[in-house]
Amino acid sequence: MSANPKVIELIYDSIDEHNEIANTSKILAKSLDTVLFGRDGNLDSLGLVSLIVAVEERVKDEFGADISVADDRAMSQTQSPFRTVGTLADYVSELVKEAGYV
Amino acid sequence: MSNTPVILITGTRKGIGRYLVDHYIEAGYRVVGCSREPANIESDAYIHCITDVRDEAGVKAMLSTVRRDLGRLDILINNAGIASMNHSLLTTTDMAQRIFETNVIGTFVVCREAAKLMQRRRYGRIVNLVSVATPLKLEGEALYASSKAAVTSLTQIMARELSAYNITVNAVGPAPIHTDLIQSVPQEKLQQILDRQAIHRFGEFSDVANAVDFFIKPESEFITGQVIYLGGV
């Protein structure tokens, strides 16, 4: 599926927030191809948690949707939603759509 | 964002929570409090939310208000809690669930939502209220003591999970204090508890505030996952 442009934008805003406090070596590029977590990932588990929290907050502000990005369903996906910015954007777009906010 | 530190206290309508509101307003904090019913607290430095900690949506809404209106949360004191004195054979499942929903799930949800806000500034102090009923293994308080044991574990594990964000998580376990929580406990039973303490007296609200003050000091950044039981239990 193609990600909701608003979702991509709010993930990029969350990346900006991450980059403000990240070490130079952990700066994330605002691209759908940026690898977030797993092999060659740019985030450690703590960084991933912070990014997810930031995304959830922005989804609530933008759409009014109270979503949980890291639940059992996310963990059981064939392709991890946390692999790249693109997979995260796809998954969050799906959650927002299911919640009836698009 | 204001430079005034913000403190959130749950269960502020009466008892320990009510005392802590006055204590921290006087100390110069911006205080946000909540309880299931309105509170009679008049101060420009205080915001009251009618929120039951068992209501996840309500807790989230309260923290959203803090984030939107105050822009920061420095300290959380999880004080809201309920107790029920009864023999385990006479404790209903409904009561057991209510105790756990308020004391354990409620504390967890407030901790989680507060920590999400705190981690943005890489600073936070969380203090959970536990009880001497747990280490004293008080008969008649099986469910209450168990719930507070769960809060103790929650405190110790969240301390580790949140340390990277410079958020400390500690707990204070008051000895019996004259509040509604113990009003149904027989005097003889209370005396037995006092006799088992190193210091044989009832606790005062100021004793709790003193221990909380210690945990929330900026200088206490190296102190986390700890429980202070008052009265020498």
Side-chain angles (χ1 to χ4, degrees), chain A residues 1-8 10-11 55-69 71 73 88-102:
Chain A
M1 68 173 281
S2 60
N4 183 320
K6 280 186 180 172
V7 169
I8 295 172
L10 67 84
I11 291 176
V55 169
E56 286 180 346
E57 279 183 356
R58 284 180 167 78
V59 166
K60 192 168 186 182
D61 289 345
E62 177 70 30
F63 298 100
D66 195 6
I67 62 166
S68 289
V69 177
D71 57 9
R73 179 177 155 193
L88 180 62
D90 284 346
Y91 187 64
V92 172
S93 298
E94 192 180 323
L95 294 179
V96 169
K97 190 176 178 184
E98 282 178 8
Y101 288 90
V102 176

Side-chain angles (χ1 to χ4, degrees), chain A residues 20-82:
Chain A
E20 277 178 24
I21 50 176
N23 296 331
T24 322
S25 60
K26 291 180 178 176
I27 296 292
L28 295 176
K30 287 195 279 187
S31 158
L32 295 177
D33 297 327
T34 298
V35 178
L36 294 176
F37 195 66
R39 192 177 173 191
D40 300 325
N42 291 288
L43 292 175
D44 57 16
S45 54
L46 203 66
L48 181 66
V49 169
S50 296
L51 184 69
I52 290 171
V53 168
V55 169
E56 286 180 346
E57 279 183 356
R58 284 180 167 78
V59 166
K60 192 168 186 182
D61 289 345
E62 177 70 30
F63 298 100
D66 195 6
I67 62 166
S68 289
V69 177
D71 57 9
D72 291 347
R73 179 177 155 193
M75 303 307 169
S76 62
Q77 300 283 303
T78 312
Q79 183 185 36
S80 168
F82 312 123

Side-chain angles (χ1 to χ4, degrees), chain A residues 11-21 30 51 58:
Chain A
I11 291 176
Y12 285 169
D13 288 344
S14 303
I15 287 174
D16 282 338
E17 185 180 314
H18 164 85
N19 288 343
E20 277 178 24
I21 50 176
K30 287 195 279 187
L51 184 69
R58 284 180 167 78

Side-chain angles (χ1 to χ4, degrees), chain B residues 5-9 20-21 24-25 29-33 45-47:
Chain B
V6 177
I7 184 165
L8 170 62
I9 305 170
L20 293 175
V21 168
Y24 289 113
I25 287 175
Y29 288 87
R30 190 76 196 266
V31 181
V32 180
Y46 180 74
I47 299 170

Side-chain angles (χ1 to χ4, degrees), chain B residues 47-211:
Chain B
I47 299 170
H48 189 77
C49 303
I50 299 176
T51 305
D52 185 339
V53 296
R54 293 183 299 173
D55 172 21
E56 182 176 18
V59 170
K60 285 184 171 182
M62 176 171 67
L63 269 299
S64 289
T65 302
V66 173
R67 177 164 65 93
R68 200 176 48 244
D69 296 352
L70 304 175
R72 62 189 286 174
L73 180 62
D74 301 80
I75 298 157
L76 163 67
I77 302 172
N78 264 310
N79 164 69
I82 58 170
S84 174
M85 275 286 293
N86 215 337
H87 193 285
S88 54
L89 299 187
L90 302 176
T91 301
T92 64
T93 306
D94 180 55
M95 179 51 76
Q97 279 173 340
R98 273 199 285 151
I99 291 172
F100 269 73
E101 281 171 7
T102 301
N103 296 1
V104 184
I105 309 294
T107 297
F108 161 67
V109 170
V110 180
C111 278
R112 184 189 67 199
E113 296 306 312
K116 284 180 183 176
L117 187 49
M118 290 171 173
Q119 61 92 26
R120 299 177 85 169
R121 292 177 57 243
R122 295 293 190 265
Y123 181 85
R125 298 275 183 269
I126 296 175
V127 181
N128 295 324
L129 269 288
V130 293
S131 172
V132 296
T134 302
L136 292 178
K137 299 168 181 61
L138 296 181
E139 294 162 54
E141 300 199 12
L143 272 300
Y144 176 70
S146 302
S147 73
K148 291 300 188 179
V151 174
T152 302
S153 286
L154 192 69
T155 301
Q156 292 164 336
I157 293 174
M158 288 192 86
R160 290 168 179 267
E161 291 185 349
L162 300 178
S163 66
Y165 300 118
N166 290 321
I167 298 171
T168 66
V169 191
N170 293 289
V172 176
I177 297 178
H178 288 296
T179 65
D180 289 355
L181 208 68
I182 63 164
Q183 68 181 1
S184 62
V185 182
Q187 190 57 42
E188 182 190 326
K189 175 92 179 169
L190 289 170
Q191 190 57 52
Q192 286 172 3
I193 298 170
L194 300 188
D195 289 344
R196 292 174 68 186
Q197 296 171 192
I199 303 167
H200 310 294
R201 70 161 170 84
F202 280 96
E204 302 286 344
F205 293 147
S206 57
D207 296 321
V208 179
N210 180 50

